[in-house]
Amino acid sequence: MLLELKDVHVHYGKIEALKGVSLEVGEGEIVSLIGGNGAGKTTTLKTISGLRSCSAGSVFFEGADIGSMPGHRRVLAGIGQAPEGRGIFPGMSVHENLLMGAYARKDDHTKELAEAYELFPRLAERRTQAAGTMSGGEQQMLAIGRALLSKPKVLLLDEPSMGLAPMLVQQIFSIIEEINRRGTTILLVEQNAQQALRLAHRAYVLETGRIVRSAPASELLDDPQVRAAYLGGDVGGDPGAAAAASGPESVALSKPAKGGPAKGEPAKGEPAKGEAEPADDAEPDGADAPDGE
Amino acid sequence: MSDNTNKTANTAGLRGALSGPLEAVRTHWDRAPGWERWAVYVLLVIGALFLPYQGLAPAMSPESDWQTILFYPIGIYVLLALGLNVVIGYAGMLDLGYVAFWAIGAYTMATMAVKHGIGFWPLLPCGIVLAAVSGVILGAPTLRLRGDYLAIVTLGFGEIVRKVAENTDWLGGTRGVNNIPHPPSHEGVWFLGVDLFTYKIRDARPYYYLLVALIILVVIFSKRLEASRIGRSWTAIREDEDAAEIMGVPTFKFKLLSFATGAAIGGSAGVVFAAKTSYVAPANFPFLLSATILAAVVLGGAGNIPGVIVGAFLVAWLPERFRGLADYRDLAFGAILVAMMIFRPEGLIPSRQRKAEMAEGGGGMGHMGAEIDTSGSEAEVGSR
Ligand SMILES: Nc1ncnc2c1ncn2[C@@H]1O[C@H](COP(=O)(O)OP(=O)(O)O)[C@@H](O)[C@H]1O
Ligand SMILES: [Mg+2]
């Protein structure tokens, strides 16, 4: 395995954002991590790239435990990231942003620079423009292009479709596919599960800090519960309701954007150790909602 | 409602009017050939050298001695603002206790010279190093904090340094240290009617020229830093610290470096200040002064050296110029600051880059935001 998380716990102060996440990404794969708002997707990526440290568990990269390696070293090890909200440097030009991607490298980066411009011709047109003045889609391209300049072995993408028009999402996703075809492993985090699952080989479903499902992407794409919870599915109104109503052995695909922990007190209602059936959590939400299926 | 829109339009118009000609000069400057730039630099230095000319005094400061205020507050403020600029302007960290490093430099000069008879010239590097070391000591545990938290800790540090000075007998307590020796004199080197290296009580000009020399050095040093890999790391940290880290920038190390560099510059100002006034006391280093230097940097245009110098000059000079207005001058000064922040929040002469950062909504202050829950705003973006 190229990248492996083993029972990773991450805390923000007292809030436990990840409650034992284990996942694997093999060389050459596109693995997708889907989940609602506040599920812990970003936290997972930050833990991999070293912006947050785990309170328990470990992160392995190419077989080595990188848990204590600072973030800026992980870039050199081969972990590249296009962070949530793009994280471009607004005052720098497009070109300067791309060069920042190669900051840590001592070797020649002309090939990767040319490749970034080739993948995103739009960036070449905007070379000297201040990155902060570009549109959201262009900024996303820049964030991905910049990550490529570090010549990553695994590329972590945090919601690349966020806030973009459908057309652009298509475009970005096909470029992601192309990047993978050229040999870069990809861990793709998405709320836009439909698109992500079409692209990915395998996927994990993350829910309030736990992996609740792991399967080949195509399988999840056809799964009624996943469809209901994350694909806007066949349910008009409240997708959470449908998930909760759909049977006892359900894997608690219960917390889409609306009812998610992001808004109020994050993860407050979560019992500390007792491990109540996660599906129970959803009951109050779903009790009075119409059946979707 | 319509009244409101009107106001906004007015503000925008005024802003445009202010920035128009300046923008033209800026564009010209960016394309100016090397010789033209050098010519301007030389002219500026010559201007600084002629500044103490007594003929300017009636216009510049009718109420107080022009040559004295050129040293303090003007020259000292400029040097301090340049130092704080490295921290705020380059690395984007809000330091509200900057005056502490100035105090450390001043007290180094005061105690070492008075108690151990060490001279000014050996003490200048000592004060610089000591201030830098205190910067590291303060920075190492605190620079993992961000934004407002860092501001509060530095504010505390400034107060602690002052309180320690007040309560340590060895440092003279509240009465401070007297009879600090001046730098050694070498008489007979005349320049523009000034006995250049004669450091006595009477003539403030030799001290002023000493400051000018330091300021020139600091400007060159800052410029070189700005253009270096270090400068680029600072820019990245200021614009997005997390992104910088995942690009491979050792953010903590570079933040510490920025803090220590700023502190060192503050320390140098302290040594010179103590040697000139021959008297330092805790009252010289109030929090208000940290705030004033911060105002100078922000007013002038954080991150841009000409802006910072102009800002510091104005902040130091205007209150002296309008001493006649007595207490009203503080009111006027406050009003000017407020007006500036409304009409030109990026500062008088901002750096281009900063402007772009502000346009993006970062506030041009780097990511001052502390670790906050971003998932709320994410929901907004996602639903658009
Ligand atoms: N900086 C932070 N401070 C405190 N809590 C946070 C912070 N960032 C995220 N969280 C909490 O951690 C949980 C997971 O957040 P996040 O990883 O951003 O989720 P996602 O990316 O899936 O939307 C949420 O409950 C969120 O409120
Ligand atoms: Mg997220």
Side-chain angles (χ1 to χ4, degrees), chain A residues 41-42 84 158-159, chain B residues 378:
Chain A
K41 305 180 298 298
T42 299
E84 182 173 59
D158 198 343
E159 303 210 30
Chain B
E378 172 191 319

mmCIF file of all heavy atoms in Angstrom, chain A residues 41-42 84 158-159, chain B residues 378, ligand 2:
data_model
loop_
_atom_site.group_PDB
_atom_site.id
_atom_site.type_symbol
_atom_site.label_atom_id
_atom_site.label_comp_id
_atom_site.label_asym_id
_atom_site.label_seq_id
_atom_site.Cartn_x
_atom_site.Cartn_y
_atom_site.Cartn_z
ATOM 1 N N LYS A 41 -13.804 14.696 6.505
ATOM 2 C CA LYS A 41 -13.027 14.450 5.283
ATOM 3 C C LYS A 41 -11.779 15.326 5.242
ATOM 4 O O LYS A 41 -10.664 14.841 5.024
ATOM 5 C CB LYS A 41 -13.893 14.728 4.035
ATOM 6 C CG LYS A 41 -15.196 13.958 4.011
ATOM 7 C CD LYS A 41 -16.008 14.250 2.768
ATOM 8 C CE LYS A 41 -16.455 15.690 2.606
ATOM 9 N NZ LYS A 41 -17.336 16.208 3.654
ATOM 10 N N THR A 42 -12.006 16.605 5.468
ATOM 11 C CA THR A 42 -10.871 17.527 5.434
ATOM 12 C C THR A 42 -9.863 17.181 6.522
ATOM 13 O O THR A 42 -8.651 17.205 6.301
ATOM 14 C CB THR A 42 -11.371 18.977 5.598
ATOM 15 O OG1 THR A 42 -12.242 19.271 4.509
ATOM 16 C CG2 THR A 42 -10.226 19.957 5.622
ATOM 17 N N GLU A 84 -8.704 22.191 0.785
ATOM 18 C CA GLU A 84 -10.069 22.688 0.758
ATOM 19 C C GLU A 84 -10.062 24.204 0.560
ATOM 20 O O GLU A 84 -9.216 24.898 1.106
ATOM 21 C CB GLU A 84 -10.738 22.359 2.089
ATOM 22 C CG GLU A 84 -12.179 22.794 2.155
ATOM 23 C CD GLU A 84 -12.842 22.295 3.436
ATOM 24 O OE1 GLU A 84 -12.376 22.634 4.530
ATOM 25 O OE2 GLU A 84 -13.795 21.542 3.319
ATOM 26 N N ASP A 158 -9.137 17.961 -2.051
ATOM 27 C CA ASP A 158 -10.223 18.207 -1.112
ATOM 28 C C ASP A 158 -11.350 18.986 -1.792
ATOM 29 O O ASP A 158 -11.249 20.191 -1.973
ATOM 30 C CB ASP A 158 -9.706 18.964 0.115
ATOM 31 C CG ASP A 158 -10.661 18.857 1.293
ATOM 32 O OD1 ASP A 158 -11.830 18.500 1.066
ATOM 33 O OD2 ASP A 158 -10.233 19.111 2.429
ATOM 34 N N GLU A 159 -12.381 18.288 -2.137
ATOM 35 C CA GLU A 159 -13.562 18.874 -2.772
ATOM 36 C C GLU A 159 -13.218 19.795 -3.935
ATOM 37 O O GLU A 159 -13.532 20.985 -3.911
ATOM 38 C CB GLU A 159 -14.400 19.632 -1.735
ATOM 39 C CG GLU A 159 -14.802 18.727 -0.582
ATOM 40 C CD GLU A 159 -16.127 19.134 0.046
ATOM 41 O OE1 GLU A 159 -16.972 19.672 -0.673
ATOM 42 O OE2 GLU A 159 -16.288 18.895 1.244
ATOM 43 N N GLU B 378 -18.165 26.704 4.726
ATOM 44 C CA GLU B 378 -18.083 25.757 3.630
ATOM 45 C C GLU B 378 -19.477 25.401 3.150
ATOM 46 O O GLU B 378 -19.729 25.247 1.966
ATOM 47 C CB GLU B 378 -17.353 24.509 4.138
ATOM 48 C CG GLU B 378 -17.325 23.342 3.203
ATOM 49 C CD GLU B 378 -16.810 22.130 3.943
ATOM 50 O OE1 GLU B 378 -15.852 22.280 4.739
ATOM 51 O OE2 GLU B 378 -17.379 21.053 3.759
HETATM 52 MG MG MG C 2 -14.139 19.624 4.204
#
